[in-house]
Amino acid sequence: MSTWKRDAASGLVVLVPIIVTIWVVWWLFRFIANLPLIENQITNPGLRVALTLVLFALLVLAVGYLMRTALGSIVEAAIDDVMNQVPGLRVVYNASKMGVETALTGTTELQEPVKVFTWDGIRMTAFKTGREAPDGRKLLFLPTAPNITSGFVIEVEAEDLIETDETVEEALTRILSAGFGERDRTEKGIPIDVIGDDGSRSPATGVVGDRSPAADGGDRPD
């Protein structure tokens, strides 16, 4: 890749996320400021947005406190039952609820990532659930990319699992980025040649900027 193309790509990588973020924040600001319930009551757009956010935060805390009580569980179950009775609307309701739960709980509910062969020659990333099927097989969650709120629950024999040294965050990054966020495992640094006592040059055995045999306690060239 030529220099100007590389510079342009680097500039876009930095600027596009910033521009998108600013646009989303501005869109949310205008959306909240133009809500019909408060647009005619308060003339200052900034005050309308601030008041709306404060009221929404208070509503969230109040509902959250209610959910800690026995009445809250009954109310939530009743709402779920009503929503699930409406065709079409229940899909939107359940999907949004699952998405919020996934976003707020983060990766605490996901267990160690593993690899499994789902079809001939195809290896996929799945997550342990910590549960087992009645026949002793391990229950795994196999998410889809880039939407991890959907996927499959599969039952796999323990010996068919391929353990990895990945963290949950690394596996999720690869899935959410559709594979573009895969960790770079290539060796970094510049290869160097080691010159022996007799002046002979041996093949490269170390790298500058990374660990080399000498850094691990091996022989150092004089």
Side-chain angles (χ1 to χ4, degrees), residues 95-218:
S96 59
K97 185 173 183 178
M98 183 180 299
V100 172
E101 290 177 349
T102 303
L104 294 180
T105 57
T107 59
T108 56
E109 301 298 327
L110 296 177
Q111 302 291 325
E112 178 185 353
V114 294
K115 300 291 183 69
V116 291
F117 284 99
T118 53
W119 296 280
D120 292 340
I122 299 179
R123 190 175 67 183
M124 302 183 70
T125 300
F127 295 90
K128 294 180 179 179
T129 63
R131 303 179 184 275
E132 295 184 353
D135 60 356
R137 296 190 180 191
K138 304 296 181 181
L139 289 179
L140 306 179
F141 174 62
L142 182 66
T144 56
N147 179 20
I148 63 172
T149 61
S150 64
F152 306 92
V153 177
I154 58 178
E155 303 176 7
V156 181
E157 296 287 354
E159 57 269 18
D160 293 333
L161 300 181
I162 303 175
E163 302 288 344
T164 68
D165 60 350
E166 289 184 317
T167 64
V168 173
E169 288 76 13
E170 289 173 338
L172 283 178
T173 298
R174 179 174 60 254
I175 297 172
L176 290 171
S177 64
F180 293 99
E182 176 68 2
R183 183 175 62 180
D184 186 7
R185 299 176 181 269
T186 59
E187 188 179 54
K188 298 180 180 179
I190 303 174
I192 60 174
D193 292 335
V194 178
I195 301 177
D197 296 335
D198 57 355
S200 60
R201 185 182 299 271
S202 61
T205 58
V207 291
V208 174
D210 201 346
R211 296 189 62 85
S212 63
D216 293 327

Side-chain angles (χ1 to χ4, degrees), residues 29-139:
F29 179 88
R30 294 184 59 186
F31 175 79
I32 296 175
N34 294 326
L35 288 175
L37 295 179
I38 62 173
E39 184 178 9
N40 298 327
Q41 306 297 327
I42 303 175
T43 58
N44 189 324
L47 183 58
R48 290 202 300 264
V49 173
L51 180 60
T52 302
L53 293 178
V54 170
L55 293 177
F56 181 74
L58 293 176
L59 177 62
V60 170
L61 293 176
V63 174
Y65 178 79
L66 178 64
M67 291 300 103
R68 293 164 51 188
T69 65
L71 178 61
S73 301
I74 296 176
V75 172
E76 183 181 15
I79 294 175
D80 289 344
D81 184 64
V82 171
M83 291 296 182
N84 287 323
Q85 298 299 323
V86 183
L89 184 60
R90 62 184 179 186
V91 176
V92 178
Y93 175 77
N94 290 324
S96 59
K97 185 173 183 178
M98 183 180 299
V100 172
E101 290 177 349
T102 303
L104 294 180
T105 57
T107 59
T108 56
E109 301 298 327
L110 296 177
Q111 302 291 325
E112 178 185 353
V114 294
K115 300 291 183 69
V116 291
F117 284 99
T118 53
W119 296 280
D120 292 340
I122 299 179
R123 190 175 67 183
M124 302 183 70
T125 300
F127 295 90
K128 294 180 179 179
T129 63
R131 303 179 184 275
E132 295 184 353
D135 60 356
R137 296 190 180 191
K138 304 296 181 181
L139 289 179

